[in-house]
């Protein structure tokens, strides 16, 4: 099986998911994030800095890997993070963008993914909602 197909496979049962709103009520929301494994960060900047401090200080198993995927920087291009927090947690920062993967690898994986899609072996089942049903709970 091509590596891209393995990357997109979903574990069974599916992992528990949390939705956190980056607003004034951030601290109480972080209490549910004790066992977070992966963060997809589209904001960076101060929101990421605050969440990192909160999540890393709340983890009951700081030796469990936390992968922080930095996708965008809509809230700022820099953060400040304590070296002590980094030293006391198993965290890996990953960049997600065109520059984070070699062109040859990207082309090979994209070709493999295209073959799976064309063969009908890569399917996505979207959830459907009428526009009037769309809310923060189901997005």
């Amino acid at each position: 099986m091509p590596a891209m197909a393995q990357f997109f496979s979903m574990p069974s049962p599916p992992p528990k998911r949390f939705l956190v709103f980056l607003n004034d009520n951030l601290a109480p929301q972080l209490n549910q994030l004790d066992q977070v494994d992966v963060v997809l960060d589209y904001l960076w900047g101060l929101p990421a800095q605050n969440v990192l401090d909160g999540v890393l200080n709340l983890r009951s198993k700081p030796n469990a890997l936390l992968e922080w995927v930095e996708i965008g920087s809509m809230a700022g291009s820099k953060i400040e993070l304590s070296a002590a927090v980094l030293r006391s947690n198993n965290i890996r920062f990953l960049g997600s963008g065109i520059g984070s993967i070699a062109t040859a690898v990207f082309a090979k994986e994209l070709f493999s993914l295209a073959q799976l899609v064309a063969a009908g072996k890569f399917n996505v089942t979207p959830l459907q909602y009428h526009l009037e049903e769309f809310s923060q709970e189901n997005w």
Side-chain angles (χ1 to χ4, degrees), residues 119-137:
K121 294 180 180 178
F122 185 86
N123 300 309
V124 176
T125 307
L127 299 174
Q128 296 182 10
Y129 291 96
H130 293 285
L131 188 55
E132 60 271 5
E133 297 173 321
F134 192 70
S135 68
Q136 288 185 341
E137 286 78 34

mmCIF file of all heavy atoms in Angstrom, residues 119-137:
data_model
loop_
_atom_site.group_PDB
_atom_site.id
_atom_site.type_symbol
_atom_site.label_atom_id
_atom_site.label_comp_id
_atom_site.label_asym_id
_atom_site.label_seq_id
_atom_site.Cartn_x
_atom_site.Cartn_y
_atom_site.Cartn_z
ATOM 1 N N ALA A 119 -8.735 4.788 -8.876
ATOM 2 C CA ALA A 119 -9.160 3.393 -8.756
ATOM 3 C C ALA A 119 -10.351 3.231 -7.798
ATOM 4 O O ALA A 119 -10.821 2.117 -7.588
ATOM 5 C CB ALA A 119 -7.988 2.540 -8.267
ATOM 6 N N GLY A 120 -10.802 4.335 -7.217
ATOM 7 C CA GLY A 120 -11.923 4.275 -6.289
ATOM 8 C C GLY A 120 -11.558 3.685 -4.940
ATOM 9 O O GLY A 120 -12.425 3.220 -4.203
ATOM 10 N N LYS A 121 -10.267 3.714 -4.589
ATOM 11 C CA LYS A 121 -9.803 3.119 -3.330
ATOM 12 C C LYS A 121 -9.517 4.161 -2.251
ATOM 13 O O LYS A 121 -9.050 3.822 -1.177
ATOM 14 C CB LYS A 121 -8.546 2.289 -3.569
ATOM 15 C CG LYS A 121 -8.810 1.078 -4.445
ATOM 16 C CD LYS A 121 -7.556 0.277 -4.651
ATOM 17 C CE LYS A 121 -7.858 -0.932 -5.538
ATOM 18 N NZ LYS A 121 -6.657 -1.705 -5.807
ATOM 19 N N PHE A 122 -9.778 5.405 -2.546
ATOM 20 C CA PHE A 122 -9.606 6.481 -1.561
ATOM 21 C C PHE A 122 -10.898 7.277 -1.559
ATOM 22 O O PHE A 122 -11.157 8.064 -2.456
ATOM 23 C CB PHE A 122 -8.418 7.381 -1.932
ATOM 24 C CG PHE A 122 -8.132 8.420 -0.889
ATOM 25 C CD1 PHE A 122 -7.323 8.125 0.184
ATOM 26 C CD2 PHE A 122 -8.672 9.690 -0.979
ATOM 27 C CE1 PHE A 122 -7.047 9.078 1.152
ATOM 28 C CE2 PHE A 122 -8.406 10.645 -0.013
ATOM 29 C CZ PHE A 122 -7.595 10.340 1.048
ATOM 30 N N ASN A 123 -11.713 7.014 -0.575
ATOM 31 C CA ASN A 123 -13.023 7.636 -0.519
ATOM 32 C C ASN A 123 -13.148 8.505 0.720
ATOM 33 O O ASN A 123 -12.646 8.159 1.778
ATOM 34 C CB ASN A 123 -14.128 6.573 -0.502
ATOM 35 C CG ASN A 123 -14.079 5.708 -1.745
ATOM 36 O OD1 ASN A 123 -14.047 6.224 -2.848
ATOM 37 N ND2 ASN A 123 -14.058 4.398 -1.561
ATOM 38 N N VAL A 124 -13.825 9.598 0.566
ATOM 39 C CA VAL A 124 -14.116 10.495 1.672
ATOM 40 C C VAL A 124 -15.630 10.598 1.763
ATOM 41 O O VAL A 124 -16.294 10.858 0.760
ATOM 42 C CB VAL A 124 -13.500 11.899 1.440
ATOM 43 C CG1 VAL A 124 -13.902 12.848 2.544
ATOM 44 C CG2 VAL A 124 -11.993 11.789 1.322
ATOM 45 N N THR A 125 -16.161 10.358 2.949
ATOM 46 C CA THR A 125 -17.599 10.460 3.144
ATOM 47 C C THR A 125 -17.877 11.734 3.929
ATOM 48 O O THR A 125 -17.744 11.759 5.155
ATOM 49 C CB THR A 125 -18.133 9.234 3.919
ATOM 50 O OG1 THR A 125 -17.704 8.056 3.252
ATOM 51 C CG2 THR A 125 -19.646 9.259 3.999
ATOM 52 N N PRO A 126 -18.247 12.801 3.238
ATOM 53 C CA PRO A 126 -18.485 14.069 3.949
ATOM 54 C C PRO A 126 -19.809 14.038 4.709
ATOM 55 O O PRO A 126 -20.736 13.333 4.333
ATOM 56 C CB PRO A 126 -18.535 15.095 2.813
ATOM 57 C CG PRO A 126 -18.975 14.317 1.623
ATOM 58 C CD PRO A 126 -18.440 12.926 1.807
ATOM 59 N N LEU A 127 -19.847 14.788 5.792
ATOM 60 C CA LEU A 127 -21.103 14.990 6.506
ATOM 61 C C LEU A 127 -21.857 16.097 5.785
ATOM 62 O O LEU A 127 -21.265 17.096 5.392
ATOM 63 C CB LEU A 127 -20.841 15.398 7.954
ATOM 64 C CG LEU A 127 -20.078 14.392 8.805
ATOM 65 C CD1 LEU A 127 -19.764 14.985 10.172
ATOM 66 C CD2 LEU A 127 -20.880 13.115 8.949
ATOM 67 N N GLN A 128 -23.147 15.922 5.620
ATOM 68 C CA GLN A 128 -23.930 16.915 4.898
ATOM 69 C C GLN A 128 -24.877 17.627 5.848
ATOM 70 O O GLN A 128 -25.547 16.987 6.664
ATOM 71 C CB GLN A 128 -24.724 16.246 3.776
ATOM 72 C CG GLN A 128 -23.828 15.636 2.718
ATOM 73 C CD GLN A 128 -24.642 15.016 1.595
ATOM 74 O OE1 GLN A 128 -25.840 15.188 1.499
ATOM 75 N NE2 GLN A 128 -23.965 14.290 0.733
ATOM 76 N N TYR A 129 -24.920 18.943 5.742
ATOM 77 C CA TYR A 129 -25.819 19.774 6.522
ATOM 78 C C TYR A 129 -26.427 20.824 5.602
ATOM 79 O O TYR A 129 -25.759 21.322 4.693
ATOM 80 C CB TYR A 129 -25.070 20.512 7.646
ATOM 81 C CG TYR A 129 -24.577 19.616 8.753
ATOM 82 C CD1 TYR A 129 -23.283 19.129 8.761
ATOM 83 C CD2 TYR A 129 -25.418 19.256 9.803
ATOM 84 C CE1 TYR A 129 -22.831 18.308 9.781
ATOM 85 C CE2 TYR A 129 -24.983 18.436 10.821
ATOM 86 C CZ TYR A 129 -23.692 17.971 10.811
ATOM 87 O OH TYR A 129 -23.258 17.160 11.817
ATOM 88 N N HIS A 130 -27.678 21.162 5.868
ATOM 89 C CA HIS A 130 -28.269 22.307 5.194
ATOM 90 C C HIS A 130 -27.652 23.551 5.811
ATOM 91 O O HIS A 130 -27.302 23.561 6.993
ATOM 92 C CB HIS A 130 -29.790 22.316 5.381
ATOM 93 C CG HIS A 130 -30.467 21.177 4.687
ATOM 94 N ND1 HIS A 130 -30.650 21.142 3.331
ATOM 95 C CD2 HIS A 130 -30.972 20.018 5.176
ATOM 96 C CE1 HIS A 130 -31.259 20.014 3.006
ATOM 97 N NE2 HIS A 130 -31.456 19.309 4.107
ATOM 98 N N LEU A 131 -27.525 24.596 5.054
ATOM 99 C CA LEU A 131 -26.861 25.802 5.529
ATOM 100 C C LEU A 131 -27.482 26.302 6.837
ATOM 101 O O LEU A 131 -26.762 26.705 7.750
ATOM 102 C CB LEU A 131 -26.921 26.897 4.459
ATOM 103 C CG LEU A 131 -26.105 28.143 4.739
ATOM 104 C CD1 LEU A 131 -24.647 27.793 4.996
ATOM 105 C CD2 LEU A 131 -26.211 29.110 3.577
ATOM 106 N N GLU A 132 -28.793 26.228 6.967
ATOM 107 C CA GLU A 132 -29.437 26.711 8.203
ATOM 108 C C GLU A 132 -29.130 25.820 9.414
ATOM 109 O O GLU A 132 -29.316 26.222 10.553
ATOM 110 C CB GLU A 132 -30.949 26.872 8.023
ATOM 111 C CG GLU A 132 -31.686 25.602 7.650
ATOM 112 C CD GLU A 132 -31.766 25.366 6.139
ATOM 113 O OE1 GLU A 132 -31.178 26.132 5.353
ATOM 114 O OE2 GLU A 132 -32.421 24.394 5.750
ATOM 115 N N GLU A 133 -28.630 24.603 9.198
ATOM 116 C CA GLU A 133 -28.263 23.708 10.298
ATOM 117 C C GLU A 133 -26.812 23.890 10.730
ATOM 118 O O GLU A 133 -26.390 23.347 11.750
ATOM 119 C CB GLU A 133 -28.445 22.244 9.878
ATOM 120 C CG GLU A 133 -29.846 21.853 9.562
ATOM 121 C CD GLU A 133 -29.919 20.439 9.004
ATOM 122 O OE1 GLU A 133 -29.032 20.048 8.215
ATOM 123 O OE2 GLU A 133 -30.875 19.737 9.362
ATOM 124 N N PHE A 134 -26.047 24.623 9.970
ATOM 125 C CA PHE A 134 -24.626 24.787 10.217
ATOM 126 C C PHE A 134 -24.392 25.620 11.473
ATOM 127 O O PHE A 134 -24.994 26.678 11.647
ATOM 128 C CB PHE A 134 -23.986 25.473 9.001
ATOM 129 C CG PHE A 134 -22.493 25.448 8.999
ATOM 130 C CD1 PHE A 134 -21.798 24.283 8.799
ATOM 131 C CD2 PHE A 134 -21.784 26.612 9.200
ATOM 132 C CE1 PHE A 134 -20.423 24.256 8.794
ATOM 133 C CE2 PHE A 134 -20.406 26.609 9.202
ATOM 134 C CZ PHE A 134 -19.725 25.429 8.992
ATOM 135 N N SER A 135 -23.559 25.121 12.386
ATOM 136 C CA SER A 135 -23.274 25.837 13.629
ATOM 137 C C SER A 135 -21.857 25.504 14.091
ATOM 138 O O SER A 135 -21.176 24.676 13.494
ATOM 139 C CB SER A 135 -24.276 25.423 14.701
ATOM 140 O OG SER A 135 -24.049 24.078 15.071
ATOM 141 N N GLN A 136 -21.451 26.112 15.197
ATOM 142 C CA GLN A 136 -20.121 25.843 15.755
ATOM 143 C C GLN A 136 -20.001 24.406 16.240
ATOM 144 O O GLN A 136 -18.921 23.850 16.274
ATOM 145 C CB GLN A 136 -19.822 26.800 16.894
ATOM 146 C CG GLN A 136 -19.550 28.203 16.427
ATOM 147 C CD GLN A 136 -19.133 29.115 17.557
ATOM 148 O OE1 GLN A 136 -19.357 28.826 18.723
ATOM 149 N NE2 GLN A 136 -18.520 30.223 17.212
ATOM 150 N N GLU A 137 -21.104 23.761 16.587
ATOM 151 C CA GLU A 137 -21.056 22.392 17.092
ATOM 152 C C GLU A 137 -20.835 21.365 15.996
ATOM 153 O O GLU A 137 -20.341 20.284 16.249
ATOM 154 C CB GLU A 137 -22.366 22.047 17.840
ATOM 155 C CG GLU A 137 -22.475 22.705 19.205
ATOM 156 C CD GLU A 137 -22.859 24.176 19.118
ATOM 157 O OE1 GLU A 137 -23.632 24.539 18.206
ATOM 158 O OE2 GLU A 137 -22.368 24.961 19.934
#
